[in-house]
Amino acid sequence: MRWDPSRYAAFADDRARPFHDLVAQIAVPAGAGPEAPRRVVDLGCGPGTLTATLAARWPSASVVGIDSSAEMLASAPAQDGLAFELGTIEHWTPGPTDDVVVTNAALQWVPSHVSLLPGWLDALPSGAWFAMQVPGNFGSPSHALMRSIAADGPWADVLDGVLRTDPVLDPAGYLGIMLDAGLEARAWETTYAQLLPGSDPVLEWVRGTGLRPVLAALDTADPSGDLTAAYTERYAAALRAAYPAGTHGTVYPFRRVFAVGRKP
Ligand SMILES: C[S@@+](CC[C@H](N)C(=O)[O-])C[C@H]1O[C@@H](n2cnc3c(N)ncnc32)[C@H](O)[C@@H]1O
């Protein structure tokens, strides 16, 4: 299932804002002083644009973005102090100099992250920070409609089992994991009232992320595109009713779950 970096880059400001809100909670001074992190890891870094902001904040750190999508990494920026690796989050383990780990909007694709977190946190060096954000919108109309329409139509067999069940915890769940691992931690949630321009903007938003498995399965089952078009038409109509366009655009509320911890 491929990622399309140009499609993902649509709505870049709305997608970037939680990243900035997340890393603002990492209380490591900017710059290259004695407290600067030695290595900074961005797990599931995507196109690397946001990873580059970590390199700008800590210019003496070795900053590495890790992602399993070659398409995403192909558009990653090239600059000193910044490296990108093709790899899976499931196979990553923290190194002894990984003083900051950031993972933004990626762990929801890794259902095993809940069981992997304790081991990661245990392996972090003393003083390290772990900062994560995952979308907590699996119960929102956009995702509920995606699932209910997937289960009700000529595509139902093709889409059976394609969509994930909710793979993320509430803030308290991540807080508990971090506290149990001995970190000083905080966790919270924010619902962003995203104002999206254009027609069918919620469809365009999910096309870049959560709808990809559906589209990939339909395209594979029916290369003519008819099945994909039929599903998309019905889903688009349902989204228009759930998120009506207003005079200023379409408001797409988006809940996100954050957790940030520091190892003593
Ligand atoms: C929604 S994008 C987020 C990208 C970036 N962190 C950001 O905030 O813009 C999710 C990224 O996670 C990556 N990803 C998904 N599953 C992964 C896995 N198992 N291992 C590594 N990367 C993964 C995808 O390739 C994609 O680039």
Side-chain angles (χ1 to χ4, degrees):
M1 189 181 39
R2 297 162 81 87
W3 284 80
D4 177 346
S6 58
R7 190 175 281 287
Y8 183 72
F11 313 112
D13 286 351
D14 282 309
R15 293 199 201 276
R17 193 170 157 208
F19 176 91
H20 296 303
D21 291 347
L22 176 71
V23 299
Q25 299 300 319
I26 302 173
V28 178
E35 291 180 58
R38 291 164 290 179
R39 195 162 182 269
V40 176
V41 178
D42 185 1
L43 282 181
C45 61
T49 328
L50 297 172
T51 320
T53 68
L54 301 174
R57 177 172 170 184
W58 295 297
S60 64
S62 160
V63 178
V64 59
I66 299 172
D67 203 284
S68 57
S69 163
E71 293 84 17
M72 283 294 211
L73 292 183
S75 59
Q79 64 186 68
D80 285 349
L82 185 57
F84 293 94
E85 293 174 7
L86 188 65
T88 63
I89 292 171
E90 292 87 335
H91 292 101
W92 173 79
T93 47
T97 59
D98 288 353
D99 292 327
V100 173
V101 178
V102 174
T103 178
N104 187 64
L107 292 183
Q108 74 277 12
W109 294 102
V110 184
S112 59
H113 74 270
V114 171
S115 54
L116 290 169
L117 269 166
W120 292 342
L121 300 176
D122 188 51
L124 286 175
S126 174
W129 288 76
F130 191 97
M132 60 172 287
Q133 181 273 118
V134 284
N137 64 338
F138 283 77
S140 67
S142 55
H143 287 62
L145 289 167
M146 191 189 297
R147 287 191 298 271
S148 61
I149 295 172
D152 175 27
W155 43 71
D157 285 348
V158 171
L159 297 182
D160 187 26
V162 163
L163 285 169
R164 298 163 291 161
T165 51
D166 190 349
V168 307
L169 303 180
D170 285 338
Y174 294 115
L175 182 66
I177 291 174
M178 288 192 174
L179 295 176
D180 285 349
L183 274 70
E184 300 149 1
R186 63 180 64 175
W188 69 100
E189 65 181 69
T190 300
T191 297
Y192 296 83
Q194 303 180 147
L195 182 65
L196 306 184
S199 58
D200 290 330
V202 179
L203 177 66
E204 292 311 309
W205 178 287
V206 296
R207 265 189 205 279
T209 52
L211 191 61
R212 292 169 38 261
V214 171
L215 299 178
L218 293 174
D219 286 343
T220 303
D222 177 12
S224 77
D226 290 350
L227 205 56
T228 307
Y231 175 93
T232 308
E233 196 176 318
R234 205 164 121 201
Y235 181 45
L239 288 175
R240 281 194 290 273
Y243 303 99
T247 43
H248 303 290
T250 300
V251 179
Y252 180 33
F254 203 113
R255 174 178 178 258
R256 295 182 181 270
V257 173
F258 298 78
V260 176
R262 178 184 176 274
K263 197 139 177 201

